[in-house]
Amino acid sequence: MAVLVGALVLVPIGRSILTSTTERHGQDTVFVGLGNYLSLVGDEQFHTGVVNSFVFTAYAEIFKVVLGLAAALLLHHLRRGRAVLAGLLLVPWVVPTVVTAFSWRALLDPIFGSVNTLLTVTGIGPLLASAHLVDSWPAGWLSDPSLAMPSVILVNVWKGVPFFTVCFLAGLKAIPADLYEAATIDGASPWQRFAHVTLPGLRHVITVTVTLSSIWTFNNFDLVWLLTQGGPGDVTAPYVLVAYSKAILQLQYGAGAAVTLVMLPIIGGLVFILVRLLRQDTGVKLPRRRRAARWLGAQRWTGPARRALPWVVTAAVTGLLLWASPKIFWKAAVVLGVILLVATAVGRVVSALQSRGGRRASSVVSGLGSGVVLAGLLFFALGPLYWIAVTAFKSEGQVVMRTDDLWPTPWTLEQFGALFANQPFGRWYLNTILVSAASTAVALVCAALAGYALARLRFRGAQGFTVTVLLTYVMPGALLFIPLYQMLIGARLTDSLWSLVVTYPTFTLPFATWLLVGYFSSIPIELEEAALVDGCTRIQAFGRVVLPLAKPGLLAVALFTLTNAWNEFLFAFVFITKDEYKTLPVGMQSMIAGDVVPQGQLAAASLLVSIPVVVMYALGQRFLTEGLTAGAVKG
C-alpha cells in the first residue's frame, strides 16, 4: 500500500511541482523557476476559472444543505416507507455523471427540452421572465451566459442532494429523542426545537459533509465539461478545465501544473479541517503535548469568539459571492427566500393549530405539507431518469417529432439496435467491465492487507500513514492527471486499458483502506488471540477469522471501487483517445458531434450504463445488512 500510494500519488505530486517550474519551447523543456506562477497574475482565463470554481462550489453547497436537510427531516418523521423513499432519492447520486449530463442537456434544450415546455404550460416560465429571473422566454439555459452557471449549479445540486440527505438522516437518528421531549415540555416551538436541538446535534455531520462535498465540487471537471465544456465563452469554466486546456490541449505542462498547484492551499485547508474532524470521530489519541495544546486552543475559542466565528465566515462568503456573481446572487436569494418562506409558513400554521389544541388539524396540515414537498422532491429527483427511460424505447420518428413525450407509442427497441450497429458500444462496455473488475481486485487485496495492518499491528509511523491515506483519498484528480499523463507517456501506456488499471488505485485504494481500518478495528481482538493460542499463524487468523467477519466492509469496498471505476471520466478522457480503448463515459461523450446529438441512442446507452450500477447498489444494500447481522451473531 505504501509503495502504491507513494508511486501513484506522492511521486506525481512531487513531479508536478518540478514540472510547474519548466516551460516547453518546441521540443525542448526549459527551466523558468517561478515564471509560470508569475504569469498567472495577469492571466484572465485563470482568474475567471478560480472565480467560477468558487461560485460553483459555494452556491451548490448552500442549496445541497438546504434541500438535503429538508428531505432528511421529512424522511425522519415518516413512519412508513422511509427506506423506499430514501432509496429512490439516492438514485441520482448513484447514476453515472455522463448519464446525468446527457439527461439534463436534453431537458434544458431551449427548443426541444421538456423543462421549457413544462414551465410554459404551467405559466411559471413567463412569470420568471416578468420577475427578471431570466432575461427572455423561452430560456436558453446552457447557451445564455447569464443562465449557464445557475443551470450547471442546478444539475450539481440534483446529483449531490441525495448524499446530503443520507448523511443528515443518519445524523438525525443519532440525536437522542429525550432532548426533543425535554424541549417540548419546556414549551419550545418546532422552530426552537430545530434551532436549539436539531442543528446543534447535526453540527458535526454538516461540517464533515459540507467539507467533503466542497472538495469534490471545487475540483469537478466531468460534469461541467459534459454539460457546457466551460462555455458559453468561459462563464462556466472552472480552474480544473483551465489546467486541462493549458496542459493537454496546448501541451504546456508547466503552466497547467502551476494552475493546479496554486489552488493547493485552498484544498489543503479543506483537507485539514476534514482530517481533524474524522480523527475526532475515530478517537485517535494524541500525544500529551498535543492534547494540552488542543485543550488550550479550545479554551481560547470558547465564549463569544467561538459563537461569532460562524457569523463572520458566513458574512465573508456572502460578501465574496455578491462581489463575484451579483446577477446570480440575487436570483439565488429569491429562490432560497421562497423555500424558507414556505417552510416557515407551514411551521407557523402547525404551531398555531397545536397551541389551540387542534392536534388532528395540525397533523393533517403537517402531513399534507410533507406529502406535497416529498412529491416535489421525488419529481425533481426522478423526472430526468424517467425521461431517459421512456426516450430509450421511442422510435427515431417519435424522438425527432417529439410525439408521445411521456409514454412511447408504440414501445420499440430501435434505439438499442442502432446503438450497437452505429457505435462500438459493446467494446466500450467490455473495456469498462475489464477496468472496473481489475481495479476492484487490486483495491480488495491491497486495502484488506493494509487496513488490517493499520488496525491491528503496532509499528512506528502507523498513525501518520493512516492520515496520509486519508489525505491521498481527498486529493483531487486535478492535481494528478498532468503528472500521471507525463509518466504514462514515458512508460508508453497511453491509449491502453493498462493506463486506467494503473491509475485508478489513486482514488480507490485510499478510501477502501480507510473504510476497512474501521471494520477491522470493530472486530473483537479476542477472537484472533484465541485463534493464535490454538496454533494459527497471523495470516491464518486473518484469513479464517477476520475476513469472514469483515464481509460487510469488503462488500462496501467492492461496491465503492466498482462504481467509481465504472463512472470515472477525467482519467479515461485524458489518457485514452482511440475508440477501441474508450470506456463507457468517454465513449458516450464522443457520440455527440458538434450540434448533432443522437438523443435516442444516448438514452438507450444511458439506460444500459445505469442499470448495472443501480442493481449493484440495490443488491449490495441487502447483502450488506445480511453480512452485518451474520458478523454480529458470530461475534
Side-chain angles (χ1 to χ4, degrees):
M1 179 68 186
V3 171
L4 288 175
V5 168
L8 296 177
V9 179
L10 301 182
V11 170
I13 290 177
R15 178 164 182 168
S16 182
I17 295 173
L18 294 176
T19 301
S20 68
T21 62
T22 63
E23 189 174 277
R24 188 168 181 175
H25 293 170
Q27 297 295 326
D28 300 325
T29 300
V30 180
F31 177 78
V32 294
L34 299 178
N36 288 319
Y37 296 95
L38 295 175
S39 64
L40 296 178
V41 176
D43 191 333
E44 290 298 327
Q45 186 185 25
F46 170 71
H47 297 166
T48 302
V50 173
V51 172
N52 288 341
S53 294
F54 169 72
V55 170
F56 177 57
T57 302
Y59 285 115
E61 297 310 307
I62 290 171
F63 280 97
K64 286 177 194 176
V65 170
V66 172
L67 296 179
L69 186 56
L73 288 170
L74 291 172
L75 292 175
H76 182 65
H77 291 99
L78 281 182
R79 295 183 179 179
R80 296 179 180 178
R82 180 193 302 171
V84 175
L85 290 176
L88 291 175
L89 289 176
L90 190 63
V91 173
W93 188 63
V94 172
V95 297
T97 303
V98 65
V99 176
T100 299
F102 157 69
S103 60
W104 278 100
R105 274 187 62 168
L107 291 171
L108 295 174
D109 187 276
I111 300 176
F112 303 106
S114 300
V115 170
N116 276 353
T117 302
L118 179 63
L119 294 179
T120 301
V121 171
T122 57
I124 298 176
L127 181 62
L128 293 176
S130 61
H132 301 289
L133 289 173
V134 296
D135 295 334
S136 60
W137 193 259
W141 299 101
L142 295 175
S143 58
D144 188 337
S146 64
L147 293 176
M149 180 60 80
S151 301
V152 174
I153 292 171
L154 170 69
V155 179
N156 183 265
V157 169
W158 177 82
K159 190 166 182 62
V161 163
F163 173 72
F164 279 70
T165 301
V166 171
C167 293
F168 292 165
L169 191 59
L172 288 171
K173 292 179 181 179
I175 299 176
D178 55 358
L179 295 179
Y180 291 102
E181 295 174 0
T184 304
I185 293 173
D186 291 340
S189 64
W191 169 253
Q192 289 173 325
R193 292 197 295 271
F194 173 76
H196 298 288
V197 179
T198 303
L199 282 183
L202 288 176
R203 183 185 294 116
H204 188 74
V205 176
I206 291 175
T207 305
V208 172
T209 306
V210 170
T211 305
L212 191 57
S213 178
S214 297
I215 296 171
W216 294 337
T217 307
F218 191 79
N219 297 286
N220 189 286
F221 172 85
D222 48 0
L223 184 64
V224 178
W225 177 265
L226 291 168
L227 282 173
T228 65
Q229 295 188 3
D234 289 327
V235 295
T236 60
Y239 89 95
V240 183
L241 199 148
V242 175
Y244 167 79
S245 175
K246 291 181 179 295
I248 307 302
L249 300 183
Q250 302 174 21
L251 295 179
Q252 291 295 340
Y253 300 123
V259 170
T260 60
L261 290 170
V262 165
M263 293 293 100
L264 190 57
I266 298 175
I267 301 167
L270 294 173
V271 170
F272 175 76
I273 295 172
L274 182 64
V275 169
R276 289 196 63 175
L277 291 170
L278 292 179
R279 288 176 68 177
Q280 291 173 9
D281 281 348
T282 54
V284 176
K285 294 184 178 180
L286 300 172
R288 184 176 301 174
R289 287 185 180 178
R290 296 182 63 185
R291 289 201 302 269
R294 175 173 290 185
W295 183 85
L296 290 173
Q299 297 303 310
R300 288 195 298 267
W301 283 97
T302 55
R306 187 166 187 171
R307 289 194 298 268
L309 182 61
W311 296 104
V312 173
V313 173
T314 302
V317 172
T318 303
L320 286 173
L321 286 176
L322 181 59
W323 167 78
S325 57
K327 292 183 178 180
I328 301 178
F329 182 85
W330 74 269
K331 295 177 182 179
V334 170
V335 175
L336 280 175
V338 171
I339 294 174
L340 296 176
L341 185 63
V342 172
T344 303
V346 174
R348 287 291 180 88
V349 171
V350 173
S351 299
L353 292 173
Q354 287 179 343
S355 63
R356 296 176 183 176
R359 291 186 176 179
R360 187 171 183 179
S362 65
S363 63
V364 170
V365 172
S366 178
L368 182 61
S370 300
V372 170
V373 175
L374 276 175
L377 285 172
L378 284 174
F379 177 77
F380 176 64
L382 302 180
L385 302 177
Y386 174 79
W387 181 87
I388 287 176
V390 297
T391 303
F393 292 98
K394 292 180 181 179
S395 65
E396 190 62 26
Q398 294 179 56
V399 173
V400 174
M401 301 302 296
R402 298 187 69 244
T403 58
D404 306 309
D405 273 349
L406 299 179
W407 194 259
T409 306
W411 290 67
T412 176
L413 298 177
E414 176 185 332
Q415 302 298 341
F416 294 92
L419 175 65
F420 283 93
N422 301 332
Q423 306 290 343
F425 189 77
R427 182 64 187 178
W428 298 342
Y429 219 101
L430 179 61
N431 291 341
T432 307
I433 291 174
L434 293 175
V435 172
S436 302
S439 303
T440 302
V442 172
L444 279 174
V445 174
C446 297
L449 295 171
Y452 178 77
L454 293 172
R456 285 289 190 260
L457 306 181
R458 297 292 175 262
F459 56 93
R460 183 174 297 177
Q463 180 182 328
F465 185 74
T466 304
V467 175
T468 303
V469 166
L470 178 63
L471 288 173
T472 55
Y473 167 61
V474 295
M475 281 295 175
L479 285 173
L480 301 176
F481 79 91
I482 295 175
L484 286 175
Y485 182 64
Q486 292 179 286
M487 293 170 64
L488 292 173
I489 290 177
R492 297 184 179 182
L493 286 178
T494 54
D495 280 326
S496 71
L497 296 183
W498 282 109
S499 65
L500 304 182
V501 174
V502 169
T503 56
Y504 278 7
T506 57
F507 59 85
T508 57
L509 268 180
F511 176 80
T513 303
W514 183 268
L515 187 144
L516 286 179
V517 168
Y519 269 96
F520 290 142
S521 299
S522 66
I523 298 174
I525 194 172
E526 291 80 9
L527 298 175
E528 295 168 69
E529 292 175 346
L532 293 173
V533 170
D534 290 341
C536 285
T537 63
R538 173 70 72 175
I539 295 297
Q540 289 174 330
F542 171 69
R544 297 180 182 180
V545 178
V546 177
L547 285 183
L549 295 177
K551 286 180 181 178
L554 297 173
L555 176 63
V557 167
L559 194 61
F560 170 82
T561 55
L562 200 61
T563 54
N564 272 269
W566 189 273
N567 301 339
E568 201 280 327
F569 178 81
L570 177 58
F571 285 1
F573 180 64
V574 174
F575 302 157
I576 304 294
T577 57
K578 295 181 179 178
D579 278 344
E580 60 266 30
Y581 297 119
K582 288 179 179 178
T583 56
L584 285 171
V586 180
M588 288 177 62
Q589 188 267 343
S590 67
M591 291 172 61
I592 302 174
D595 295 331
V596 179
V597 182
Q599 290 191 1
Q601 294 180 37
L602 281 171
S606 299
L607 202 61
L608 294 176
V609 171
S610 301
I611 287 177
V613 180
V614 175
V615 170
M616 281 190 294
Y617 267 88
L619 295 177
Q621 185 178 7
R622 178 168 63 87
F623 290 131
L624 187 62
T625 305
E626 292 177 358
L628 285 170
T629 305
V633 172
K634 291 178 182 178

mmCIF file with all atom_site columns, all heavy atoms in Angstrom, residues 516-528:
data_model
loop_
_atom_site.group_PDB
_atom_site.id
_atom_site.type_symbol
_atom_site.label_atom_id
_atom_site.label_alt_id
_atom_site.label_comp_id
_atom_site.label_asym_id
_atom_site.label_entity_id
_atom_site.label_seq_id
_atom_site.pdbx_PDB_ins_code
_atom_site.Cartn_x
_atom_site.Cartn_y
_atom_site.Cartn_z
_atom_site.occupancy
_atom_site.B_iso_or_equiv
_atom_site.pdbx_formal_charge
_atom_site.auth_seq_id
_atom_site.auth_comp_id
_atom_site.auth_asym_id
_atom_site.auth_atom_id
_atom_site.pdbx_PDB_model_num
ATOM 1   N N   . LEU A 1 516 ? -11.809 -0.012  5.652  1.00 0.00 ? 516 LEU A N   1
ATOM 2   C CA  . LEU A 1 516 ? -11.538 -1.318  6.252  1.00 0.00 ? 516 LEU A CA  1
ATOM 3   C C   . LEU A 1 516 ? -10.811 -1.204  7.582  1.00 0.00 ? 516 LEU A C   1
ATOM 4   O O   . LEU A 1 516 ? -10.927 -2.096  8.426  1.00 0.00 ? 516 LEU A O   1
ATOM 5   C CB  . LEU A 1 516 ? -10.725 -2.175  5.275  1.00 0.00 ? 516 LEU A CB  1
ATOM 6   C CG  . LEU A 1 516 ? -11.518 -2.718  4.085  1.00 0.00 ? 516 LEU A CG  1
ATOM 7   C CD1 . LEU A 1 516 ? -10.619 -3.523  3.165  1.00 0.00 ? 516 LEU A CD1 1
ATOM 8   C CD2 . LEU A 1 516 ? -12.688 -3.580  4.550  1.00 0.00 ? 516 LEU A CD2 1
ATOM 9   N N   . VAL A 1 517 ? -10.070 -0.126  7.786  1.00 0.00 ? 517 VAL A N   1
ATOM 10  C CA  . VAL A 1 517 ? -9.469  0.087   9.108  1.00 0.00 ? 517 VAL A CA  1
ATOM 11  C C   . VAL A 1 517 ? -10.557 0.137   10.174 1.00 0.00 ? 517 VAL A C   1
ATOM 12  O O   . VAL A 1 517 ? -10.440 -0.461  11.249 1.00 0.00 ? 517 VAL A O   1
ATOM 13  C CB  . VAL A 1 517 ? -8.628  1.389   9.124  1.00 0.00 ? 517 VAL A CB  1
ATOM 14  C CG1 . VAL A 1 517 ? -8.260  1.757   10.558 1.00 0.00 ? 517 VAL A CG1 1
ATOM 15  C CG2 . VAL A 1 517 ? -7.360  1.208   8.310  1.00 0.00 ? 517 VAL A CG2 1
ATOM 16  N N   . GLY A 1 518 ? -11.650 0.851   9.880  1.00 0.00 ? 518 GLY A N   1
ATOM 17  C CA  . GLY A 1 518 ? -12.758 0.917   10.836 1.00 0.00 ? 518 GLY A CA  1
ATOM 18  C C   . GLY A 1 518 ? -13.422 -0.426  11.051 1.00 0.00 ? 518 GLY A C   1
ATOM 19  O O   . GLY A 1 518 ? -13.760 -0.784  12.184 1.00 0.00 ? 518 GLY A O   1
ATOM 20  N N   . TYR A 1 519 ? -13.604 -1.198  9.990  1.00 0.00 ? 519 TYR A N   1
ATOM 21  C CA  . TYR A 1 519 ? -14.244 -2.514  10.143 1.00 0.00 ? 519 TYR A CA  1
ATOM 22  C C   . TYR A 1 519 ? -13.372 -3.471  10.946 1.00 0.00 ? 519 TYR A C   1
ATOM 23  O O   . TYR A 1 519 ? -13.853 -4.183  11.835 1.00 0.00 ? 519 TYR A O   1
ATOM 24  C CB  . TYR A 1 519 ? -14.550 -3.108  8.766  1.00 0.00 ? 519 TYR A CB  1
ATOM 25  C CG  . TYR A 1 519 ? -15.921 -2.761  8.259  1.00 0.00 ? 519 TYR A CG  1
ATOM 26  C CD1 . TYR A 1 519 ? -16.102 -1.683  7.394  1.00 0.00 ? 519 TYR A CD1 1
ATOM 27  C CD2 . TYR A 1 519 ? -17.047 -3.489  8.652  1.00 0.00 ? 519 TYR A CD2 1
ATOM 28  C CE1 . TYR A 1 519 ? -17.353 -1.349  6.923  1.00 0.00 ? 519 TYR A CE1 1
ATOM 29  C CE2 . TYR A 1 519 ? -18.297 -3.160  8.188  1.00 0.00 ? 519 TYR A CE2 1
ATOM 30  C CZ  . TYR A 1 519 ? -18.445 -2.089  7.328  1.00 0.00 ? 519 TYR A CZ  1
ATOM 31  O OH  . TYR A 1 519 ? -19.706 -1.768  6.875  1.00 0.00 ? 519 TYR A OH  1
ATOM 32  N N   . PHE A 1 520 ? -12.086 -3.508  10.624 1.00 0.00 ? 520 PHE A N   1
ATOM 33  C CA  . PHE A 1 520 ? -11.199 -4.415  11.353 1.00 0.00 ? 520 PHE A CA  1
ATOM 34  C C   . PHE A 1 520 ? -11.076 -4.004  12.819 1.00 0.00 ? 520 PHE A C   1
ATOM 35  O O   . PHE A 1 520 ? -10.971 -4.865  13.707 1.00 0.00 ? 520 PHE A O   1
ATOM 36  C CB  . PHE A 1 520 ? -9.817  -4.444  10.702 1.00 0.00 ? 520 PHE A CB  1
ATOM 37  C CG  . PHE A 1 520 ? -9.796  -5.127  9.367  1.00 0.00 ? 520 PHE A CG  1
ATOM 38  C CD1 . PHE A 1 520 ? -9.004  -4.636  8.330  1.00 0.00 ? 520 PHE A CD1 1
ATOM 39  C CD2 . PHE A 1 520 ? -10.554 -6.257  9.134  1.00 0.00 ? 520 PHE A CD2 1
ATOM 40  C CE1 . PHE A 1 520 ? -8.973  -5.260  7.092  1.00 0.00 ? 520 PHE A CE1 1
ATOM 41  C CE2 . PHE A 1 520 ? -10.542 -6.889  7.905  1.00 0.00 ? 520 PHE A CE2 1
ATOM 42  C CZ  . PHE A 1 520 ? -9.758  -6.386  6.876  1.00 0.00 ? 520 PHE A CZ  1
ATOM 43  N N   . SER A 1 521 ? -11.088 -2.699  13.099 1.00 0.00 ? 521 SER A N   1
ATOM 44  C CA  . SER A 1 521 ? -10.988 -2.242  14.489 1.00 0.00 ? 521 SER A CA  1
ATOM 45  C C   . SER A 1 521 ? -12.211 -2.631  15.305 1.00 0.00 ? 521 SER A C   1
ATOM 46  O O   . SER A 1 521 ? -12.124 -2.788  16.524 1.00 0.00 ? 521 SER A O   1
ATOM 47  C CB  . SER A 1 521 ? -10.803 -0.722  14.528 1.00 0.00 ? 521 SER A CB  1
ATOM 48  O OG  . SER A 1 521 ? -9.608  -0.341  13.866 1.00 0.00 ? 521 SER A OG  1
ATOM 49  N N   . SER A 1 522 ? -13.376 -2.770  14.641 1.00 0.00 ? 522 SER A N   1
ATOM 50  C CA  . SER A 1 522 ? -14.604 -3.107  15.363 1.00 0.00 ? 522 SER A CA  1
ATOM 51  C C   . SER A 1 522 ? -14.717 -4.597  15.681 1.00 0.00 ? 522 SER A C   1
ATOM 52  O O   . SER A 1 522 ? -15.562 -4.997  16.476 1.00 0.00 ? 522 SER A O   1
ATOM 53  C CB  . SER A 1 522 ? -15.824 -2.670  14.539 1.00 0.00 ? 522 SER A CB  1
ATOM 54  O OG  . SER A 1 522 ? -15.914 -3.423  13.332 1.00 0.00 ? 522 SER A OG  1
ATOM 55  N N   . ILE A 1 523 ? -13.880 -5.425  15.077 1.00 0.00 ? 523 ILE A N   1
ATOM 56  C CA  . ILE A 1 523 ? -13.925 -6.873  15.347 1.00 0.00 ? 523 ILE A CA  1
ATOM 57  C C   . ILE A 1 523 ? -13.166 -7.154  16.640 1.00 0.00 ? 523 ILE A C   1
ATOM 58  O O   . ILE A 1 523 ? -12.028 -6.716  16.800 1.00 0.00 ? 523 ILE A O   1
ATOM 59  C CB  . ILE A 1 523 ? -13.304 -7.657  14.172 1.00 0.00 ? 523 ILE A CB  1
ATOM 60  C CG1 . ILE A 1 523 ? -14.109 -7.418  12.892 1.00 0.00 ? 523 ILE A CG1 1
ATOM 61  C CG2 . ILE A 1 523 ? -13.228 -9.151  14.484 1.00 0.00 ? 523 ILE A CG2 1
ATOM 62  C CD1 . ILE A 1 523 ? -13.499 -8.040  11.654 1.00 0.00 ? 523 ILE A CD1 1
ATOM 63  N N   . PRO A 1 524 ? -13.779 -7.875  17.592 1.00 0.00 ? 524 PRO A N   1
ATOM 64  C CA  . PRO A 1 524 ? -13.096 -8.149  18.877 1.00 0.00 ? 524 PRO A CA  1
ATOM 65  C C   . PRO A 1 524 ? -11.749 -8.833  18.666 1.00 0.00 ? 524 PRO A C   1
ATOM 66  O O   . PRO A 1 524 ? -11.648 -9.854  17.974 1.00 0.00 ? 524 PRO A O   1
ATOM 67  C CB  . PRO A 1 524 ? -14.078 -9.069  19.601 1.00 0.00 ? 524 PRO A CB  1
ATOM 68  C CG  . PRO A 1 524 ? -15.407 -8.773  18.994 1.00 0.00 ? 524 PRO A CG  1
ATOM 69  C CD  . PRO A 1 524 ? -15.137 -8.440  17.560 1.00 0.00 ? 524 PRO A CD  1
ATOM 70  N N   . ILE A 1 525 ? -10.722 -8.266  19.257 1.00 0.00 ? 525 ILE A N   1
ATOM 71  C CA  . ILE A 1 525 ? -9.375  -8.818  19.082 1.00 0.00 ? 525 ILE A CA  1
ATOM 72  C C   . ILE A 1 525 ? -9.236  -10.161 19.783 1.00 0.00 ? 525 ILE A C   1
ATOM 73  O O   . ILE A 1 525 ? -8.346  -10.962 19.454 1.00 0.00 ? 525 ILE A O   1
ATOM 74  C CB  . ILE A 1 525 ? -8.334  -7.814  19.614 1.00 0.00 ? 525 ILE A CB  1
ATOM 75  C CG1 . ILE A 1 525 ? -6.935  -8.199  19.130 1.00 0.00 ? 525 ILE A CG1 1
ATOM 76  C CG2 . ILE A 1 525 ? -8.389  -7.717  21.132 1.00 0.00 ? 525 ILE A CG2 1
ATOM 77  C CD1 . ILE A 1 525 ? -5.882  -7.159  19.445 1.00 0.00 ? 525 ILE A CD1 1
ATOM 78  N N   . GLU A 1 526 ? -10.124 -10.443 20.749 1.00 0.00 ? 526 GLU A N   1
ATOM 79  C CA  . GLU A 1 526 ? -10.051 -11.721 21.471 1.00 0.00 ? 526 GLU A CA  1
ATOM 80  C C   . GLU A 1 526 ? -10.242 -12.908 20.543 1.00 0.00 ? 526 GLU A C   1
ATOM 81  O O   . GLU A 1 526 ? -9.710  -14.006 20.794 1.00 0.00 ? 526 GLU A O   1
ATOM 82  C CB  . GLU A 1 526 ? -11.118 -11.761 22.571 1.00 0.00 ? 526 GLU A CB  1
ATOM 83  C CG  . GLU A 1 526 ? -10.877 -10.799 23.731 1.00 0.00 ? 526 GLU A CG  1
ATOM 84  C CD  . GLU A 1 526 ? -11.295 -9.388  23.406 1.00 0.00 ? 526 GLU A CD  1
ATOM 85  O OE1 . GLU A 1 526 ? -11.938 -9.195  22.344 1.00 0.00 ? 526 GLU A OE1 1
ATOM 86  O OE2 . GLU A 1 526 ? -10.986 -8.480  24.207 1.00 0.00 ? 526 GLU A OE2 1
ATOM 87  N N   . LEU A 1 527 ? -11.006 -12.740 19.466 1.00 0.00 ? 527 LEU A N   1
ATOM 88  C CA  . LEU A 1 527 ? -11.211 -13.845 18.532 1.00 0.00 ? 527 LEU A CA  1
ATOM 89  C C   . LEU A 1 527 ? -9.895  -14.227 17.850 1.00 0.00 ? 527 LEU A C   1
ATOM 90  O O   . LEU A 1 527 ? -9.587  -15.415 17.689 1.00 0.00 ? 527 LEU A O   1
ATOM 91  C CB  . LEU A 1 527 ? -12.256 -13.444 17.486 1.00 0.00 ? 527 LEU A CB  1
ATOM 92  C CG  . LEU A 1 527 ? -13.659 -13.133 18.011 1.00 0.00 ? 527 LEU A CG  1
ATOM 93  C CD1 . LEU A 1 527 ? -14.551 -12.640 16.879 1.00 0.00 ? 527 LEU A CD1 1
ATOM 94  C CD2 . LEU A 1 527 ? -14.271 -14.370 18.654 1.00 0.00 ? 527 LEU A CD2 1
ATOM 95  N N   . GLU A 1 528 ? -9.113  -13.246 17.477 1.00 0.00 ? 528 GLU A N   1
ATOM 96  C CA  . GLU A 1 528 ? -7.817  -13.531 16.862 1.00 0.00 ? 528 GLU A CA  1
ATOM 97  C C   . GLU A 1 528 ? -6.849  -14.126 17.879 1.00 0.00 ? 528 GLU A C   1
ATOM 98  O O   . GLU A 1 528 ? -6.081  -15.036 17.561 1.00 0.00 ? 528 GLU A O   1
ATOM 99  C CB  . GLU A 1 528 ? -7.219  -12.254 16.276 1.00 0.00 ? 528 GLU A CB  1
ATOM 100 C CG  . GLU A 1 528 ? -8.030  -11.671 15.124 1.00 0.00 ? 528 GLU A CG  1
ATOM 101 C CD  . GLU A 1 528 ? -7.570  -10.284 14.790 1.00 0.00 ? 528 GLU A CD  1
ATOM 102 O OE1 . GLU A 1 528 ? -6.451  -10.139 14.271 1.00 0.00 ? 528 GLU A OE1 1
ATOM 103 O OE2 . GLU A 1 528 ? -8.324  -9.327  15.060 1.00 0.00 ? 528 GLU A OE2 1
#
